[in-house]
Amino acid sequence: MNTKALEELQLAENRHMCAALVASGDKSDVARKVVHKLEFISEYKKADLVEELEEKGFTINESFVTEEGYNGLLFECEDKVDIETIETLTLELIPLLDEHDARYGGWTTESVNVI
């Protein structure tokens, strides 16, 4: 899948995830842990990518292997999950990962309900 198609797919997923969070009563303007996932197409540039992600304030969590046999990585940051913040971040990450032979795999977070 090319970068543009991946961006379009991820933007649709972002809208779906953010709508689901709002529907659950989530306060999207409250920062919380957001975990992102990537898969390496090639690990040749892995060290450079990890360094860049850490410079951008991400914490590298754990490695995993996908069902297709690709090596992956979970990384996280503290951030809001309103649609503008998430879309800006994912549109930054997708080309960055592409430059480092990795593919963006989405994000997850826990709902924050403030009473």
Side-chain angles (χ1 to χ4, degrees), residues 12-72:
E13 182 63 23
N14 289 349
R15 288 188 292 277
H16 174 76
M17 289 277 294
C18 288
L21 286 166
V22 168
S24 76
D26 184 77
K27 304 298 180 194
S28 61
D29 60 338
V30 175
R32 84 290 302 277
K33 179 171 67 170
V34 181
V35 179
H36 301 269
K37 179 172 83 170
L38 67 83
E39 299 172 355
F40 289 101
I41 298 164
S42 161
E43 292 195 55
Y44 178 68
K45 302 177 184 177
K46 179 179 179 178
D48 291 338
L49 177 57
V50 166
E51 185 177 322
E52 280 199 52
L53 289 171
E54 289 175 337
E55 286 173 2
K56 291 183 176 295
F58 289 97
T59 301
I60 308 304
N61 286 348
E62 62 185 75
S63 298
F64 63 93
V65 178
T66 68
E67 291 178 9
E68 297 84 19
Y70 292 107
N71 289 321

